[in-house]
Amino acid sequence: MKIMEPLKVYYTWTFYLLFLHTTYCFYLPGLAPVSYCKKQDSNVEMKCKSHIPLFVNRLDSVETIIPYEYSRFDFCSANKKDYAPSENLGQVVFGERIEPSGYNLTFQERSCKVLCTKNYKKDEVNGEKLSFIKNAIRLNYQHHWIIDNMPVTWCYQVSTSDSQKVYCSTGFPIGCYVDSQGTQKDACVIEPKIYNEKDTYYLFNHIKITIEYHSGSGEDWDGARLISAKVWPSSCKDGCGPKPCKAPLSIKSTESGDRSIPYTYEVEFTMNNKIKWASRWDYILASIPHTSIQWFSIMNSLVIVLFLSGMVAMIMLRTLHKDIARYNQLETSDDAQEEFGWKLVHGDVFRPPGKGMLLSVMLGTGTQVVTMTSITLVFACLGFLSPANRGALMTTVLVLFVCLGGPAGYVAARIYKLFGGERWKTNVLMTCFLFPGIIFGIFFVLNLVLWAKQSSAAIPFGTLVALLALWFGISVPLVFVGAYFGFRKPVIELPVRTNQIPRQIPEQSFYSRAVPGIIMGGVLPFGCIFIQLFFVLNSIWSHQIYYMFGFLLVVSAILIVTVSETCILLCYFHLCAEDYHWWWRSYLTGACTAIYLFMYSIYYFHKLTIVGTTSSVLYFGYTSIMVILFFLYTGTIGFFACFFFVRKIYSAVKVD
């Protein structure tokens, strides 16, 4: 009887609802292009637009984890009549806040315009506004603009070992800072000879926007489709005055008011029919530094892990085949032979472990996490979770986690019944609330910190209520449904009976004890993911686009194989040493990979330039959530691998 037997009705309706959700919410690049044309040609018959909306997103920095809304800064505000797109659940959770801007862009109209002028006087209110902008410049906060669902990029040259390479960032700085020692911040590389005055802030108040388009003249569609939008920020005291700019807009550290800051912008359009609309993301993804090194490292890691996994599998299969053949040969012989090896503990190997309630709950929630991760990666590889579909990744994760409460309750109930537990109500309630409650509690505390900082990453109260409604209204009932079917199933059939009196475990050598085995068991699985882990952490904390979901799926599959084989190998060695306490050990051996993940996160934190106690608390708070989920993920894989292995080997030998 299979422990992971699916609930046919549940899965049918669940995947049907998920299919409806994806067809409604997901966006595939190339599916819904927008055509633009000149203002005099814009009409209903041509189905093209002349106005190009420019949206602004939150501002963030690699030096702090606290993002802010665009309206938090004293920049030029948009017209109240402009349309503000609504964010989905994933965007709200990630802290994205998309707002309309005051920039008026019309297709093929080239001009330099004054957006607004901000005047600051020497008073407390204006001083705070100016100080907030200066502090943001010092922390290297970045603008994030959106045109035609494309990120507005800032392209600049970076030096490599042998050449110069153009790197296009999806954000651009609001200014640059030169400290009292004359050290220039990264953004000052735009004009290092101009932005060189000590103890001075340079606000980039003039933005040049270059929009490339692909003309559709003579094709199946009319008008033009935008393929890129690039900016060149600069600090100019005169704004749209004489060219080139005579002097930069400098703000001294001690300055608090009595000055005027003009915000200006200019737009130009260039035609580029070499790039198709469907390929317009390629220049962003291809410009990520050291891409070739990343691919080589990933392939090298995959080959090594596959080679080691093959060796472990061959050794295990060959040794087990000899063991089973020898045990069965001794059983059929007339001479009385004393049992030895792992067959010797057949009467105790399925003895229920201590803390069986907790173990069953962890396995139920772990099954929920494993299934959620696998389905999410499949959707990502199919293109549903592309960078163009903002917030889709987090939305999918939340929806899947909520909808997969049924398997969590089912697995927890089956395992708990196998252990002989009778407190089924407590088991169901702990599956519903223990680990989801821990994660939500950490998340809520971090949200309070963000609320206190007035950050855009702070989730609104209404969204928190919506998350709680999803948890209590969908996930909890599904856990009860899954547990109902799980407890109705008969107890899992075991191949051998358990003795009434526990067998004494002989003295174990150092390497066969529990703690050293668990610590060693997490090394190889972590070795197959740490390169990919670096890219994932970069996408989270360094605001880089992550798009290698295909490799992530392959690495996840190899991680599952590696964790399974490592746990099986160590479980076999412990059984041969007559130690039958394998239940918790198999789980913790796989889950130990999460400990290495946490240690690597500490190492990665020291490589970042994060400053401030609040940012450090937020970093380790969100990291703890990832570690808990990864702990459940790898621990569940290791347990079920050992469970099926132990059942298989003891059902293959003859036991009186």
Side-chain angles (χ1 to χ4, degrees):
M1 184 180 300
K2 296 182 179 180
I3 187 173
M4 298 297 291
E5 182 179 355
L7 304 173
K8 296 182 179 179
V9 177
Y10 170 81
Y11 277 120
T12 301
W13 282 102
T14 299
F15 282 103
Y16 178 71
L17 291 175
L18 288 175
F19 176 76
L20 289 180
H21 172 74
T22 56
T23 55
Y24 178 76
C25 295
F26 287 98
Y27 162 82
L28 289 173
L31 186 63
V34 179
S35 298
Y36 295 93
C37 55
K38 292 184 179 180
K39 192 171 184 179
Q40 61 269 22
D41 298 331
S42 177
N43 53 48
V44 178
E45 294 180 358
M46 293 189 65
K47 297 181 180 179
C48 60
K49 301 178 179 179
S50 61
H51 176 67
I52 303 176
L54 190 154
F55 298 105
V56 292
N57 204 342
R58 65 174 184 179
L59 284 80
D60 54 29
S61 170
V62 296
E63 298 187 20
T64 177
I65 304 177
I66 307 173
Y68 291 101
E69 296 183 28
Y70 186 85
S71 58
R72 181 72 173 79
F73 297 82
D74 191 33
F75 297 142
C76 300
S77 58
N79 296 324
K80 296 182 179 179
K81 297 180 180 179
D82 290 346
Y83 168 74
S86 57
E87 294 93 1
N88 55 39
L89 181 62
Q91 288 177 291
V92 176
V93 172
F94 265 132
E96 294 192 15
R97 302 292 184 267
I98 300 178
E99 305 173 8
S101 70
Y103 294 88
N104 185 17
L105 308 182
T106 303
F107 184 71
Q108 287 194 351
E109 283 191 6
R110 305 180 182 184
S111 61
C112 187
K113 299 179 181 180
V114 178
L115 184 61
C116 72
T117 301
K118 292 290 183 177
N119 298 308
Y120 297 94
K121 298 180 180 179
K122 285 188 176 181
D123 55 42
E124 184 177 355
V125 175
N126 287 277
E128 288 181 357
K129 292 180 180 179
L130 202 57
S131 297
F132 190 81
I133 293 177
K134 289 192 292 185
N135 185 58
I137 294 175
R138 182 174 54 83
L139 293 175
N140 196 25
Y141 269 82
Q142 307 274 317
H143 284 286
H144 293 280
W145 290 1
I146 301 170
I147 291 180
D148 194 36
N149 202 34
M150 276 280 293
V152 177
T153 57
W154 172 43
C155 297
Y156 55 91
Q157 286 188 340
V158 293
S159 300
T160 59
S161 58
D162 53 354
S163 62
Q164 293 280 335
K165 185 177 181 180
V166 176
Y167 172 63
C168 292
S169 171
T170 55
F172 63 95
I174 66 175
C176 75
Y177 171 61
V178 182
D179 61 18
S180 58
Q181 305 297 325
T183 304
Q184 297 174 319
K185 282 285 188 177
D186 294 339
C188 292
V189 299
I190 298 176
E191 293 289 349
K193 295 182 179 180
I194 297 178
Y195 310 136
N196 55 8
E197 194 173 347
K198 294 182 180 181
D199 202 19
T200 303
Y201 297 88
Y202 295 95
L203 177 64
F204 294 155
N205 63 322
H206 180 74
I207 306 297
K208 180 182 178 181
I209 307 174
T210 302
I211 299 177
E212 291 187 343
Y213 63 92
H214 179 91
S215 176
S217 177
E219 301 187 17
D220 296 334
W221 47 275
D222 294 324
R225 293 174 180 175
L226 308 186
I227 56 177
S228 72
K230 302 176 183 179
V231 298
W232 187 260
S234 61
S235 177
C236 189
K237 188 176 182 179
D238 301 320
C240 279
K243 300 297 169 87
C245 182
K246 292 183 177 180
L249 181 66
S250 59
I251 306 174
K252 289 295 182 179
S253 298
T254 56
E255 190 173 340
S256 60
D258 279 345
R259 73 165 307 141
S260 178
I261 299 179
Y263 288 90
T264 59
Y265 67 99
E266 58 179 312
V267 187
E268 66 177 25
F269 293 85
T270 58
M271 186 173 66
N272 186 352
N273 285 340
K274 296 181 180 180
I275 301 176
K276 299 294 183 180
W277 185 88
S279 304
R280 60 182 188 162
W281 280 82
D282 292 353
Y283 85 98
I284 301 176
L285 303 180
S287 66
I288 296 177
H290 311 299
T291 303
S292 58
I293 299 176
Q294 294 175 7
W295 286 81
F296 174 78
S297 301
I298 293 172
M299 290 299 298
N300 185 52
S301 177
L302 294 180
V303 170
I304 293 175
V305 172
L306 284 174
F307 177 73
L308 293 176
S309 300
M311 289 185 60
V312 171
M314 289 195 328
I315 293 172
M316 289 298 301
L317 290 175
R318 185 174 181 181
T319 306
L320 276 175
H321 181 73
K322 289 184 177 181
D323 286 345
I324 294 172
R326 184 166 64 251
Y327 291 151
N328 290 335
Q329 184 179 6
L330 293 175
E331 192 69 29
T332 57
S333 63
D334 296 333
D335 298 333
Q337 299 284 345
E338 184 179 358
E339 294 179 344
F340 59 93
W342 52 266
K343 185 182 178 183
L344 193 62
V345 296
H346 66 83
D348 299 275
V349 70
F350 290 108
R351 187 177 302 281
K355 308 292 183 181
M357 171 79 76
L358 178 60
L359 181 58
S360 64
V361 170
M362 295 171 71
L363 290 170
T365 309
T367 303
Q368 190 176 7
V369 174
V370 171
T371 311
M372 173 201 71
T373 305
S374 303
I375 298 176
T376 301
L377 287 177
V378 171
F379 277 129
C381 290
L382 293 176
F384 291 107
L385 310 182
S386 66
N389 191 11
R390 294 173 181 83
L393 180 62
M394 179 57 70
T395 302
T396 304
V397 167
L398 292 174
V399 170
L400 285 175
F401 187 83
V402 167
C403 293
L404 291 171
Y410 180 80
V411 171
R414 295 298 307 276
I415 295 294
Y416 186 62
K417 193 172 183 179
L418 172 65
F419 294 159
E422 298 178 352
R423 300 165 56 195
W424 63 271
K425 294 181 181 179
T426 305
N427 180 263
V428 176
L429 291 175
M430 288 185 65
T431 306
C432 292
F433 299 111
L434 180 59
F435 286 99
I438 292 174
I439 293 173
F440 184 83
I442 297 173
F443 184 76
F444 182 74
V445 171
L446 297 178
N447 202 54
L448 290 178
V449 175
L450 293 170
W451 268 341
K453 291 292 183 177
Q454 299 180 353
S455 171
S456 66
I459 297 180
F461 179 76
T463 306
L464 279 177
V465 173
L467 291 175
L468 289 174
L470 290 174
W471 181 13
F472 288 94
I474 299 178
S475 181
V476 171
L478 288 177
V479 172
F480 274 87
V481 171
Y484 171 76
F485 284 101
F487 280 115
R488 284 192 61 184
K489 290 284 186 179
V491 181
I492 299 172
E493 185 179 353
L494 299 176
V496 292
R497 294 189 300 269
T498 302
N499 297 334
Q500 294 183 354
I501 302 175
R503 178 185 178 85
Q504 185 177 2
I505 300 175
E507 183 69 22
Q508 300 291 309
S509 58
F510 174 77
Y511 62 87
S512 63
R513 293 177 182 174
V515 176
I518 291 172
I519 294 175
M520 291 186 297
V523 175
L524 185 58
F526 179 76
C528 77
I529 66 167
F530 81 95
I531 295 178
Q532 196 66 229
L533 179 63
F534 173 77
F535 303 143
V536 173
L537 293 178
N538 269 351
S539 68
I540 297 174
W541 305 117
S542 298
H543 312 298
Q544 295 183 7
I545 295 179
Y546 186 87
Y547 65 97
M548 294 184 291
F549 290 108
F551 268 106
L552 186 60
L553 179 63
V554 173
V555 170
S556 299
I558 292 185
L559 173 65
I560 293 174
V561 173
T562 309
V563 169
S564 301
E565 291 183 346
T566 303
C567 293
I568 288 173
L569 184 63
L570 293 175
C571 180
Y572 173 75
F573 290 153
H574 292 134
L575 292 177
C576 289
E578 302 179 22
D579 186 353
Y580 52 84
H581 293 310
W582 63 273
W583 298 96
W584 273 105
R585 185 176 296 165
S586 63
Y587 189 95
L588 295 177
T589 300
C592 184
T593 312
I595 306 300
Y596 291 98
L597 169 62
F598 182 73
M599 295 170 61
Y600 183 80
S601 299
I602 297 175
Y603 165 75
Y604 184 83
F605 175 77
H606 288 286
K607 293 183 63 178
L608 296 174
T609 56
I610 292 178
V611 295
T613 305
T614 304
S615 296
S616 301
V617 170
L618 291 172
Y619 175 87
F620 286 104
Y622 288 120
T623 299
S624 64
I625 294 177
M626 292 188 292
V627 170
I628 291 173
L629 293 175
F630 197 71
F631 184 90
L632 297 170
Y633 180 88
T634 53
T636 301
I637 293 171
F639 175 87
F640 283 118
C642 290
F643 180 77
F644 291 123
F645 168 75
V646 173
R647 285 188 65 200
K648 187 68 176 178
I649 63 174
Y650 281 98
S651 62
V653 295
K654 299 176 182 179
V655 178
D656 292 334

